[in-house]
Amino acid sequence: MAGNVWVLAEHWRGRLSDLTFELLVLGRELAVGLESRLEAVLLGHGAKDLAGSLGAADSVLTVDHPSLAEPNPEAYCLALAALVEERKPRSLLVPLTNVSADVPSLLSARLRISLSNFCRDVRVVNGGLQARCLLYGGKMETTVAVPGSPAVLGILPGSRAGSEARVDRAPLIEEVEVALPSEGRVRFEKYIEPAAGDVDITQQHALVSVGRGIQTRDNIALAEELAEALGGVVSASRPVIDQGWLPLTRQVGKSGATVKPKLYLAAGISGAPEHVEGMKSADLIIAINTDPQAPIFTVAHYGIVGDVLDVLPALSEAVRARKGIHA
Amino acid sequence: MNTLVLMKMVPDIVEELEVGPDGKSLDLESLRLIVSERDDHALEQALLLKERRGGSVTTMAIESPDIDEILFTALAKGSDRAVKMVGAEPPLTTSEAAALLARVLPDVPNLMPVDLILTGCQAIDDLDGLLAPILAEQLRIPYLGVVTGVDAETGQGRATVFKEYAGGVRGEYAVSLPAVLGIQAAEKPPRYVPVAKVRSTMKSRTIDTVPAPPRDETSQLEILQMTKPEATGRAEMLEGSPEEVASKVADVLSARGLV
């Protein structure tokens, strides 16, 4: 029998991530295909209670240590390396979020085992694993034969629906001791909360979200005009925030907020996986982009190939006209 | 505070990307290369740290098309030195590049030890891993990624590093030096440098070169094929002049009670 399929049970500030449950569904498929067991690995300190929610796995390996109390890639890598060397799983699936995304690279380098990164899907093919990985901001997909065992796979959000793994079943829990240094070279100090005072974009019914296609800070006024007509606010993808054109509180995506408005209008946003993760559940998604191949058009309900600088003013005018508002 | 910044070129994804004749890689003919966005932030963070705490910044890259312009731009922005590793047979995967850099760094004259190595926290082609953590592991020094701020007083032996989480929350960490940091975003947007200044830098400054060591590790991944992603869904496309598509969008919004 092949080694087991492992899923790193990712948690942050007392809550298991949604992505963990997606990986449990994916992991179950792989375990069935490989005729092996599915095990979740829960690293933390005082976090054992979370193991009870991981009943989709056959069993949960828990490691409790003060150095694992907060996300710390180095401590996580040391703990996982010890477990992998001892137990020899077939594969380890790791969620790619800001909490865990660097763990796969550290672990694969430490143990000299393969890493397939940015996976959107993994399947068992002729007894081996094949992964489909999204590269170049989601514009290309590479299929790789996953070599070796154990193998590490970094999994993007959206590979499976996680709801299937939220089961009311108690898993077998095994507590494992791992020797870790009490004082690591990377030490967590504290969390810094975002500055209060700005609008909460997660509570808006309409978001006009701007990306690189907006070109300049001044052009954001075009999006603000439309947002005002719609009774919503302006949000943004990462490049706009990095330029300092809007505050971090307006960012949608992996590092920002996850939003579910009634209307999400993506203006000049290409649709990289990191952004899509934060907006794919909006009720209605309308995208404007000059590139007809932009990945945003695969998640949008309606698409417009065009320049946001031309389309946004026309949209503002049309919305105002429907509402009987005169500019 | 002496900092090494590692930069690389990646395809400009604003352009149309095509699969090459081998069916497993990008069509190099159709590519326009630009500096990896996060690496540009890594350089900016290093320059901000130098301005705040003194010390030096060295920018280094592996030889690739147009990389000289990137290194001269780094010099024009304030980098004290630029180094190019030459002779490595392309293409290099990220793990292969990390292995070469880990082996060549001790041989670069008058470079090591440095206090910090900064590079982008990820690049759009990191199929077999991220450069910063792999390099840190190979150099056996600490690592933290998704970093959005760094401060370090000279002689303290540690840096205060800010890591980004979701929802605008940041974590503050104390990191022992030397260390490798994967930069998500610098504390300020990358500075602009006029083309004329880059051109004059090309005339007045030079790029040091260092030979690549023999490649003794190859990526374990076997690429079977590269394709444009199969669309899981596709938007209904609205066509016409800006005014026409705006009217169609307004119809959709009206039907849903949104206007």
Side-chain angles (χ1 to χ4, degrees):
Chain A
M1 191 168 100
N4 292 333
V5 174
W6 283 10
V7 167
L8 178 64
E10 179 186 67
H11 59 99
W12 185 54
R13 307 186 95 176
R15 184 177 169 271
L16 286 161
S17 70
D18 293 342
L19 191 47
T20 296
F21 293 95
E22 295 181 16
L23 267 57
L24 286 170
V25 176
L26 174 62
R28 173 59 69 194
E29 285 180 26
L30 300 181
V32 168
L34 295 166
E35 298 180 359
S36 64
R37 298 176 74 243
L38 173 64
E39 295 183 306
V41 181
L42 180 68
L43 310 177
H45 185 49
K48 287 179 194 165
D49 288 352
L50 296 173
S53 304
L54 298 168
D58 296 312
S59 57
V60 183
L61 305 176
T62 66
V63 179
D64 189 282
H65 192 279
S67 67
L68 301 170
E70 299 296 341
N72 184 327
E74 190 159 285
Y76 269 49
C77 175
L78 287 173
L80 283 171
L83 285 176
V84 168
E85 290 206 296
E86 183 194 321
R87 308 271 175 135
K88 303 279 189 285
R90 171 68 180 82
S91 58
L92 169 63
L93 312 184
V94 181
L96 290 182
T97 73
N98 284 0
V99 173
S100 310
D102 26 29
V103 172
S105 297
L106 280 175
L107 188 64
S108 74
R110 170 157 293 243
L111 297 179
R112 295 185 174 273
I113 57 181
S114 77
L115 164 59
S116 307
N117 207 20
F118 303 149
C119 300
R120 77 183 303 202
D121 194 15
V122 187
R123 292 183 188 274
V124 178
V125 178
N126 299 326
L129 296 179
Q130 278 188 13
R132 288 162 53 210
C133 308
L134 277 183
L135 298 179
Y136 307 113
K139 281 192 135 182
M140 283 288 172
E141 181 179 294
T142 297
T143 304
V144 298
V146 177
S149 175
V152 188
L153 297 111
I155 314 290
L156 291 167
S159 68
R160 296 293 183 277
S163 53
E164 285 177 43
R166 293 184 187 275
V167 295
D168 189 17
R169 184 172 60 226
L172 195 67
I173 298 172
E174 181 183 354
E175 294 180 14
V176 186
E177 294 278 332
V178 173
L180 294 172
S182 57
E183 186 78 347
R185 303 178 300 178
V186 176
R187 194 176 71 233
F188 174 84
E189 300 284 358
K190 63 183 178 190
Y191 285 117
I192 302 163
E193 303 298 329
D198 195 16
V199 294
D200 181 353
I201 59 171
T202 66
Q203 300 301 313
Q204 303 295 320
H205 84 283
L207 290 173
V208 178
S209 211
V210 292
R212 207 185 298 271
I214 200 72
Q215 296 182 25
T216 68
R217 182 199 290 260
D218 289 347
N219 289 337
I220 293 174
L222 300 175
E224 284 170 344
E225 192 183 335
L226 176 58
E228 187 183 351
L230 289 164
V233 301
V234 172
S235 55
S237 63
R238 176 105 227 172
V240 171
I241 306 297
D242 283 352
Q243 287 298 324
W245 295 345
L246 284 171
L248 192 56
T249 45
R250 301 294 182 105
Q251 185 178 333
V252 174
K254 187 164 98 172
S255 299
T258 297
V259 298
K260 295 177 183 173
K262 292 191 186 313
L263 169 63
Y264 189 85
L265 197 141
I269 291 173
S270 66
E274 294 84 358
H275 182 76
V276 170
E277 181 183 338
M279 47 63 78
K280 62 178 187 284
S281 301
D283 290 351
L284 174 64
I285 301 169
I286 299 174
I288 310 163
N289 203 289
T290 52
D291 178 4
Q293 303 300 324
I296 193 73
F297 291 130
T298 66
V299 290
H301 302 99
Y302 294 93
I304 298 158
V305 176
D307 189 331
V308 295
L309 305 186
D310 298 328
V311 178
L312 285 176
L315 274 174
S316 298
E317 188 55 43
V319 169
R320 282 195 297 260
R322 292 296 165 105
K323 287 185 156 184
I325 303 169
H326 301 287
Chain B
M1 189 60 46
N2 296 321
T3 305
L4 171 66
V5 178
L6 300 172
M7 304 186 84
K8 76 167 182 179
M9 305 295 278
V10 294
D12 183 354
I13 56 172
V14 171
E15 305 282 321
E16 181 85 357
L17 301 181
E18 297 294 341
V19 179
D22 66 355
K24 298 179 180 181
S25 59
L26 287 180
D27 181 6
L28 299 175
E29 297 294 316
S30 66
L31 284 185
R32 193 171 85 92
L33 296 176
I34 57 169
V35 68
S36 183
E37 193 175 3
R38 304 284 141 228
D39 294 353
D40 216 15
H41 281 268
L43 173 62
E44 183 61 34
Q45 186 61 57
L47 295 172
L48 290 171
L49 199 52
K50 177 186 156 185
E51 287 162 3
R52 197 184 301 147
R53 300 292 185 185
S56 69
V57 174
T58 299
T59 305
M60 184 170 175
I62 297 174
E63 185 177 33
S64 62
D66 300 330
I67 200 68
D68 284 11
E69 190 179 331
I70 299 305
L71 290 172
F72 278 119
T73 302
L75 289 169
K77 285 182 173 182
S79 181
D80 299 277
R81 186 183 175 197
V83 180
K84 180 171 62 171
M85 186 175 84
V86 297
E89 186 74 22
L92 290 172
T93 70
T94 302
S95 73
E96 290 166 350
L100 286 181
L101 286 166
R103 286 169 54 213
V104 84
L105 286 180
D107 296 332
V108 179
N110 306 314
L111 178 63
M112 303 299 271
V114 293
D115 301 298
L116 281 168
I117 300 175
L118 306 187
T119 191
C121 66
Q122 80 175 37
I124 54 176
D125 58 355
D126 281 340
L127 178 62
D128 65 348
L130 312 178
L131 181 73
I134 300 174
L135 186 64
E137 191 58 40
Q138 299 208 344
L139 294 172
R140 304 256 172 221
I141 60 177
Y143 159 80
L144 196 65
V146 203
V147 168
T148 56
V150 187
D151 199 10
E153 283 186 52
T154 304
Q156 294 290 306
R158 67 173 185 275
T160 302
V161 182
F162 301 93
K163 175 184 168 80
E164 188 171 272
Y165 287 99
V169 177
R170 299 199 300 165
E172 182 182 320
Y173 289 79
V175 179
S176 299
L177 300 180
V180 182
L181 302 179
I183 302 295
Q184 167 79 295
E187 291 159 33
K188 291 182 181 174
R191 64 196 64 193
Y192 172 75
V193 59
V195 175
K197 190 172 180 190
V198 177
R199 288 204 181 119
S200 73
T201 303
M202 286 175 168
K203 289 176 187 161
S204 61
R205 307 281 294 276
T206 55
I207 296 170
D208 298 339
T209 58
V210 56
R215 210 193 297 192
D216 64 354
E217 278 192 39
T218 54
S219 177
Q220 299 181 48
L221 292 190
E222 182 194 352
I223 295 177
L224 301 175
Q225 66 169 358
M226 179 178 282
T227 56
K228 294 195 174 181
E230 168 193 320
T232 46
R234 181 71 189 168
E236 180 182 330
M237 303 308 285
L238 306 177
E239 294 174 351
S241 67
E243 291 70 27
E244 286 165 346
V245 294
S247 176
K248 291 175 185 174
V249 169
D251 290 343
V252 171
L253 299 180
S254 285
R256 291 180 177 238
L258 292 168
V259 293

